[in-house]
Amino acid sequence: MTHWAYLYLLRVPLLAWLVLVGLAPLSVWGAAPLGPVLRGLFDLAPAAGGGGNAGLVPLRIVVAFGLVTLQALMAATAIGVTARLVVLEGAVRFGAGLVTNTPGVRLSLRVAPALAALVLVGGAWSQSWGEGGFGRIGGMTVGTVGGIALFYVLATDVQRWLWRYVRGRRRADRRHLGSRAVHRLVGGLERLATLSPAGYLRDGQLHDRHVHALLQAGVAALVYVGLLLVKLTPTDVAWVPTLCLVLTLLIVVCYVLGAVTFFFDRFRVPVLLVVLAYFTVVGLSARADSFFRTAEAPAPAWQEPNTPLFQLTRARTGRPVVLVAATGGGIQASAWTARVLAGLHQDTERTPARFDEAVRVISSVSGGSVGALFMLDAWGLPGAGRLPPVDDLDTYGPVANAEASSLDDVAWGLVYSDVVYSLLPMVRAADWMLTSDRGSSIESAWRARLSRRRFPLAEWRTEAVAGRRPAVIFNATLVESGERLLIATTDLERAVAGRPWCDPTAPPPANVGRRDFRLLYCDREIEAVTAARLSATFPYVTPATRILRRAGPRRPEYHVVDGGYYDNYGVATLIEWLNDAIRDEAAGALPSILIVEIRAKPVGEPTGPDGSRGLLFQALHPVTTMLQVWGTGQLSHNELDARLLQASARLAAQNVRLRRVIFEFPSVDVTGVPIRPPLSWHLTPDDLVTLRWAWEYRMDPCRQLVRDFLRDGPRAGGPELLRCGL
């Protein structure tokens, strides 16, 4: 082997270095390709300033930048330490070209990782700068300098003290507790290294470089546990930023995979094969899955029927009604759904024809389900079927909750619950462990913002029947069958006549492509926040999950994922619900109907030809075509279904006017620059400004149409379909 072999042998530290140096350019600068997904990681100052603790804002900015700077430099240390072991022991262990430990080599192994850390911190500065200001810039400066200073102390004085402590206690004749612990740990590793001593042992003892690497990994592990203790401490202040948690995970992965590759590369065993084999074995455990929690026995209200026709015509007596479809799309969809619903309520709350009283059902998907969750939480609190008054849309409770960041909670679940339970699923002995992951973490964050900590969906079903809340349909998807899973407070699927309501032996329903949670799991009851979480199982952000029954995790169950796989607009279910209502044999006089579609991102024009060709195009076009058809097919089918319903003979016979209004988030801002909505669970200050601008300046025609329709009903003028936001 020659020196070129180091490009392969150094793949773990090199990949970690590429992540460290490339994360900021790919996320925050210019038209960063990963900006919609990752720019929220670098938004440190707004995250530190939220939560209503205004007096702590400067301190939280200092702490956020201090922790991120410290962990970025610790990540650089992990890269340097693992790379040094490979470079300086490569000739002995792997037979690669000899590299001498010259001052130039030592300097490069320090400078290159450190520069990558500074690039990452620079990305945090760029994203968090905002409008500047002495307090913000001062806090960022103090935090960054403090993080560098703390790292310098840890890397010099503290490290020298630890090194003297460890070396002095490696002797077997020492009887101090710390001495025995160090001796046993190092001695155990020395005995393990005898299986393959090359590159590990010198004169029968573990080389100092490995002891030093072990010491650094131990410090990283202590930081990992320390951050866990900080996160577990009850507080209203989020002291640990998400980017710090991501860097902590990078450090742990670098040390662990670096150690694994150093051992197995001598035998030419690829580390990916080792990792794949390990997770294949532990994946055989029934506990190596994601589970969601339900109640043991459903309330009687869970069995109470609420047909589409009853929900459509209840207590309206000739007055027009509104049906809502809310799209998916992460926190952007959550915020836009809440803002549109609250804004329409604000537009009409001082008029006799109120929007909140006219809404009969909300069919929501993914992020739109989260926005609908917070709006429905507020519905009915002050009185029958009404929302609280709106003074300021930006500070309105449901809107603020829908816009609040949950990125930290996802990272928390990923870095701790998912890492530990993925590596050791067999330790998940209790139910709370089985239902603990990044999905349950984000669910807990949403639950904390609700007016009550527990909201069984059966209770919302009762209130939908009584008129205190609109009915809701949370759309999800079943992985194994590809069917829609409707978690709803209104019925599209009825129990089979002549059979008990909960009959495990009942055959699957005759309809194709749809299952109802209430009948599929008729012996269980689910909370509203869990239903929203299942609908918003955003790919890779939250895991595919299945129900946890009393019998334990061994019984096979459907896995539930994001509703956007089947229909990202919520329109298919809404049209089917309305079609069920108007075709009901008991249907009498029907009210005028307005369908409000809330789209969190622009649909845009069809993509034109881009000149793709060649072998690579021929290899990738099946996947590209499938992805394009996924979105275009959903939209075209929804449009066709809506037009067919508008032309139905039942509506024509009763002279019922069915109208549609689409609140579509604009594609360009006021200057004509394309808007790139976030795809994570965090909104930056710029994102919030864009949301406010889009509602106040781009939706006026649609807002006026809603006001006119509620006031005049069938006499209202205007088009059958109006789309705003283009």
Side-chain angles (χ1 to χ4, degrees):
M1 296 177 68
T2 66
H3 289 86
W4 288 106
Y6 286 105
L7 289 177
Y8 174 77
L9 298 172
L10 287 169
R11 62 195 180 282
V12 170
L14 279 176
L15 287 173
W17 182 85
L18 288 174
V19 171
L20 198 61
V21 76
L23 199 58
L26 291 173
S27 304
V28 298
W29 288 319
L34 300 181
V37 179
L38 297 179
R39 65 174 178 251
L41 290 175
F42 293 85
D43 188 21
L44 305 185
N53 298 278
L56 295 176
V57 168
L59 179 60
R60 294 173 71 183
I61 294 176
V62 170
V63 171
F65 273 86
L67 287 175
V68 166
T69 303
L70 174 63
Q71 285 300 86
L73 292 171
M74 292 289 284
T77 300
I79 293 169
V81 168
T82 52
R84 186 180 70 163
L85 280 175
V86 174
V87 169
L88 299 183
E89 300 292 340
V92 176
R93 182 153 186 85
F94 311 113
L98 178 65
V99 177
T100 307
N101 190 17
T102 62
V105 170
R106 292 196 296 270
L107 182 63
S108 62
L109 291 175
R110 289 177 171 85
V111 172
L115 290 177
L118 294 180
V119 170
L120 183 135
V121 174
W125 267 76
S126 175
Q127 184 62 53
S128 305
W129 184 274
E131 297 179 357
F134 177 78
R136 178 186 295 261
I137 297 175
M140 292 161 61
T141 303
V142 172
T144 303
V145 173
I148 295 174
L150 180 58
F151 172 78
Y152 178 79
V153 172
L154 292 174
T156 55
D157 296 338
V158 174
Q159 183 171 286
R160 282 194 292 266
W161 178 84
L162 285 173
W163 182 244
R164 288 195 300 269
Y165 183 89
V166 169
R167 292 197 65 181
R169 282 162 174 74
R170 289 181 64 183
R171 292 165 46 190
D173 59 343
R174 303 296 292 267
R175 292 294 178 263
H176 187 272
L177 179 62
S179 301
R180 292 200 299 270
V182 172
H183 177 71
R184 288 175 180 174
L185 176 60
V186 176
L189 292 175
E190 287 174 346
R191 287 190 293 274
L192 182 63
T194 57
L195 299 174
S196 177
Y200 282 109
L201 301 180
R202 292 289 190 278
D203 300 325
Q205 281 196 324
L206 196 64
H207 196 283
D208 281 351
R209 292 194 187 104
H210 288 283
V211 178
H212 179 260
L214 182 64
L215 175 63
Q216 295 291 344
V219 172
L222 289 176
V223 173
Y224 180 83
V225 174
L227 292 178
L228 170 64
L229 296 177
V230 171
K231 295 291 293 183
L232 291 177
T233 303
T235 176
D236 294 332
V237 180
W239 293 108
V240 183
T242 306
L243 185 56
C244 179
L245 295 176
V246 172
L247 290 171
T248 302
L249 181 61
L250 178 66
I251 294 168
V252 172
V253 169
C254 185
Y255 278 124
V256 172
L257 290 186
V260 172
T261 55
F262 191 87
F263 182 83
F264 283 101
D265 278 354
R266 177 175 176 82
F267 310 107
R268 309 301 189 263
V269 177
V271 68
L272 288 180
L273 183 62
V274 176
V275 173
L276 180 62
Y278 178 81
F279 282 108
T280 299
V281 172
V282 299
L284 298 176
S285 170
R287 301 178 182 276
D289 208 343
S290 175
F291 302 88
F292 64 89
R293 195 183 289 271
T294 54
E296 287 292 339
W302 197 229
Q303 306 176 23
E304 183 178 2
N306 182 20
T307 65
L309 177 62
F310 172 82
Q311 186 68 27
L312 177 69
T313 59
R314 179 192 48 77
R316 293 305 295 169
T317 319
R319 298 166 61 190
V321 298
V322 174
L323 315 179
V324 178
T327 185
I331 197 172
Q332 171 77 11
S334 173
W336 187 239
T337 296
R339 186 168 288 269
V340 171
L341 293 177
L344 293 175
H345 166 55
Q346 184 183 42
D347 288 346
T348 61
E349 64 178 327
R350 292 180 176 85
T351 68
R354 292 171 59 110
F355 174 79
D356 55 350
E357 293 179 343
V359 178
R360 297 290 86 207
V361 66
I362 300 175
S363 172
S364 59
V365 183
S366 192
S369 292
V370 181
L373 171 73
F374 291 120
M375 290 300 300
L376 286 161
D377 176 46
W379 234 295
L381 293 182
R386 290 196 170 195
L387 284 168
V390 181
D391 293 326
D392 181 3
L393 204 58
D394 294 328
T395 58
Y396 190 54
V399 176
N401 289 332
E403 293 177 346
S405 175
S406 301
L407 188 60
D408 180 63
D409 302 283
V410 175
W412 154 257
L414 173 65
V415 173
Y416 289 100
S417 298
D418 285 0
V419 167
V420 173
Y421 293 145
S422 295
L423 292 172
L424 301 169
M426 61 288 299
V427 305
R428 306 174 79 181
D431 285 357
W432 68 267
M433 292 181 177
L434 291 171
T435 57
S436 177
D437 53 29
R438 62 190 185 277
S440 64
S441 182
I442 198 172
E443 180 183 326
S444 297
W446 297 339
R447 180 179 286 108
R449 300 175 204 155
L450 296 175
S451 59
R452 284 163 40 194
R453 290 302 175 94
R454 188 173 183 272
F455 258 125
L457 205 60
E459 183 176 321
W460 281 17
R461 186 181 188 86
T462 301
E463 295 181 347
V465 173
R468 291 190 294 272
R469 278 184 177 85
V472 63
I473 306 173
F474 294 115
N475 291 266
T477 307
L478 298 177
V479 172
E480 287 80 358
S481 66
E483 297 170 293
R484 277 176 296 161
L485 177 66
L486 308 184
I487 313 174
T489 58
T490 180
D491 303 326
L492 270 171
E493 188 175 311
R494 275 75 152 178
V496 179
R499 288 182 177 270
W501 177 76
C502 187
D503 184 1
T505 66
N511 56 282
V512 178
R514 187 188 73 223
R515 303 296 291 270
D516 189 296
F517 184 95
R518 193 173 67 101
L519 295 183
L520 181 62
Y521 303 113
C522 57
D523 59 334
R524 313 295 293 184
E525 182 181 78
I526 191 171
E527 290 194 31
V529 66
T530 306
R533 171 257 177 119
L534 296 180
S535 176
T537 305
F538 206 66
Y540 299 112
V541 176
T542 43
T545 185
R546 64 185 180 97
I547 193 170
L548 179 63
R549 294 183 184 268
R550 181 185 298 177
R554 293 187 179 277
R555 173 177 171 175
E557 299 285 357
Y558 285 113
H559 287 83
V560 185
V561 292
D562 197 284
Y565 283 101
Y566 193 101
D567 174 26
N568 197 45
Y569 302 96
V571 173
T573 298
L574 187 66
I575 295 297
E576 192 173 2
W577 183 91
L578 181 55
N579 186 62
D580 185 296
I582 66 176
R583 293 184 180 277
D584 194 313
E585 294 180 357
L590 296 173
S592 296
I593 301 166
L594 175 66
I595 296 179
V596 174
E597 298 181 36
I598 304 173
R599 296 179 181 173
K601 61 180 181 180
V603 174
E605 299 298 328
T607 303
D610 59 4
S612 298
R613 55 187 175 273
L615 181 61
L616 186 60
F617 167 75
Q618 294 297 335
L620 297 179
H621 83 268
V623 176
T624 304
T625 306
M626 181 179 65
L627 293 175
Q628 295 293 347
V629 170
W630 182 18
T632 306
Q634 288 182 6
L635 191 64
S636 60
H637 282 295
N638 290 344
E639 191 68 24
L640 176 61
D641 291 342
R643 293 184 183 276
L644 289 174
L645 188 62
Q646 283 177 315
S648 72
R650 190 64 175 270
L651 293 179
Q654 296 197 27
N655 197 27
V656 173
R657 192 174 185 188
L658 176 61
R659 305 178 67 180
R660 296 167 59 204
V661 58
I662 301 175
F663 291 87
E664 183 175 302
F665 196 78
S667 59
V668 296
D669 62 17
V670 67
T671 63
V673 176
I675 298 173
R676 306 175 71 209
L679 296 177
S680 66
W681 286 104
H682 181 89
L683 293 170
T684 67
D686 290 340
D687 295 329
L688 293 171
V689 169
T690 305
L691 282 164
R692 187 182 307 118
W693 164 80
W695 174 251
E696 292 178 353
Y697 297 103
R698 299 298 296 272
M699 301 294 138
D700 284 345
C702 290
R703 293 168 67 179
Q704 185 61 48
L705 185 148
V706 173
R707 290 193 292 266
D708 293 343
F709 177 85
L710 292 175
R711 184 184 66 244
D712 301 328
R715 300 185 304 275
E720 298 292 331
L721 170 64
L722 181 61
R723 180 179 170 192
C724 296
L726 299 179

